[in-house]
Amino acid sequence: MLMDHRSFDVITFGESMGLLYPQGPRGIGKGGTMSQSFGGAESNLAIGLARLGCTAGWFGQLGHDPIAQGIVKTLRGEGVDVSRARFTSSAPTGLMLREQFRGKSSVYYYRAGSAASKMTPDLVDPSYIADSRILHFTGITAALSPSCLDTIRHVISLCKESGVKISFDPNLRLKLWSIEEARPVLLELAESCDYFLPGFDECKLLYQTEDENEIFSQLRKLNAVTVVKSYNDGNVIVEQDNLITVPFHKVDDVVDTVGAGDGFCAGFLAGISKGYSTEEALQLAVLTGAMVIQAIGDWEALPTWEEVEQERGNTAHIER
């Protein structure tokens, strides 16, 4: 672990929503029963970090409703600090529906006007931010509302004042905003971070080019260590003039790709928190992302540190 006086390895913030999904092969609206859980890139990441042995905190704004109570209770049970989560009676916790139907995965959001979309800078506790080594956020939060973007900018300024490293995953969601709306905002936020975690397809959209050399040229101009996900047959670290490639971790059975990116980011930040080099942290990220896709769930499939060590061959699995 990085050694200093701060209580948290990573703090993250954003929207966590209730999740409903059909049981069995029927799609939404086709009859049948629904199961419930919750999801959100930032809270997923916080759970992933806690399971990997890191100290993690999550905050955001939720409604005064049973969905919010379930989210907070589960996060707390997973070892994530939720002491700065906020609640409002003026708006509900957001909701999403997800289905796997006829070989296609679809997500439907009910988050317009949600409690999280009404988050404002005054809800942020500066001392909480300063008590973390790394602050992580995603472009999803920026897409929710102008006040959420103001909150991100405020948190960035607090990080700069307190010497907190900033991690940013653009997590581009074109159901929330158009690429024309997203591009200038996400590029602005990329300029502010210490760790930038885009996918290669996102880079094509952000830099408006298919030219790999041009994309990497633009990434080299950033002050951040950039980790590009899913480039050719692997993932690439862009660190000034250096390019380091780590290949995919091959798996025999892909069950569910939901949450893979969050597991990847959790693995990378866990590695950094444990004092790994950026290449070692990327190797851990590749492994944790691959482990997620071998099971079902937004966050349920995120591996523990013990499971990672077993996968590496460092500890044995005892069946009985």
Side-chain angles (χ1 to χ4, degrees):
M1 298 287 180
L2 297 176
M3 301 300 293
D4 63 24
H5 64 284
R6 304 179 200 240
S7 300
F8 298 98
D9 294 312
V10 183
I11 286 173
T12 186
F13 71 103
E15 180 166 38
S16 194
M17 298 170 289
L19 168 64
L20 297 176
Y21 56 95
Q23 289 186 346
R26 294 183 180 180
I28 295 169
K30 305 293 192 299
T33 57
M34 302 282 278
S35 293
Q36 63 174 321
S37 182
F38 71 94
E42 299 82 10
S43 52
N44 293 349
L45 175 116
I47 291 173
L49 285 161
R51 289 186 178 182
L52 293 173
C54 298
T55 50
W58 173 88
F59 69 91
Q61 184 160 253
L62 301 161
H64 272 297
D65 48 51
I67 292 176
Q69 293 168 13
I71 291 170
V72 170
K73 181 178 180 180
T74 302
L75 287 171
R76 189 183 292 118
E78 288 285 340
V80 176
D81 181 83
V82 288
S83 61
R84 298 308 190 278
R86 299 289 184 257
F87 301 89
T88 179
S89 298
S90 66
T93 303
L95 181 67
M96 60 178 166
L97 307 182
R98 190 178 72 233
E99 66 177 354
Q100 288 276 356
F101 187 61
R102 292 176 179 163
K104 293 183 179 180
S105 179
S106 300
V107 179
Y108 306 92
Y109 295 119
Y110 299 84
R111 67 202 305 180
S114 68
S117 71
K118 298 181 182 298
M119 190 160 43
T120 54
D122 60 287
L123 297 176
V124 179
D125 180 353
S127 65
Y128 192 63
I129 302 300
D131 205 19
S132 177
R133 299 174 183 89
I134 300 172
L135 186 288
H136 177 81
F137 65 92
T138 78
I140 294 173
T141 308
L144 297 179
S145 69
S147 69
C148 282
L149 179 55
D150 288 342
T151 302
I152 288 176
R153 289 170 172 150
H154 178 60
V155 168
I156 289 171
S157 68
L158 293 174
C159 289
K160 300 292 187 184
E161 292 171 8
S162 302
V164 176
K165 297 290 187 182
I166 300 170
S167 168
F168 173 49
D169 181 350
N171 226 326
L172 182 59
R173 294 289 184 269
L174 295 178
K175 282 192 174 183
L176 297 178
W177 54 357
S178 69
I179 186 57
E180 289 76 22
E181 294 171 308
R183 183 179 292 114
V185 174
L186 298 181
L187 290 177
E188 171 203 332
L189 298 177
E191 294 282 350
S192 69
C193 63
D194 299 282
Y195 302 105
F196 183 40
L197 308 170
F200 189 65
D201 286 342
E202 290 174 322
C203 290
K204 292 178 183 178
L205 291 171
L206 291 177
Y207 294 112
Q208 303 181 72
T209 181
E210 298 277 332
D211 187 327
E212 299 177 8
N213 292 328
E214 176 60 22
I215 288 171
F216 287 116
S217 175
Q218 293 296 327
L219 293 173
R220 286 190 183 96
K221 295 177 183 178
L222 299 175
N223 293 321
V225 172
T226 299
V227 177
V228 180
K229 295 170 281 190
S230 299
Y231 170 68
N232 289 339
D233 292 323
N235 308 271
V236 177
I237 298 170
V238 184
E239 207 165 359
Q240 296 179 350
D241 290 334
N242 296 323
L243 289 179
I244 302 171
T245 301
V246 173
F248 291 132
H249 183 84
K250 303 297 184 182
V251 300
D252 295 327
D253 187 19
V254 177
V255 176
D256 184 6
T257 59
V258 173
D262 301 329
F264 179 99
C265 292
F268 180 77
L269 294 179
I272 295 298
S273 297
K274 292 173 184 292
Y276 290 10
S277 69
T278 51
E279 183 174 2
E280 292 169 334
L282 177 54
Q283 290 169 348
L284 177 58
V286 169
L287 177 58
T288 53
M291 293 177 74
V292 168
I293 65 176
Q294 296 177 72
I296 295 174
D298 267 40
W299 54 267
E300 293 87 346
L302 292 161
T304 64
W305 186 248
E306 181 180 11
E307 290 169 333
V308 167
E309 288 291 85
Q310 288 175 358
E311 187 73 16
R312 286 169 155 177
N314 293 333
T315 60
H317 171 64
I318 301 174
E319 184 175 345
R320 297 181 182 177

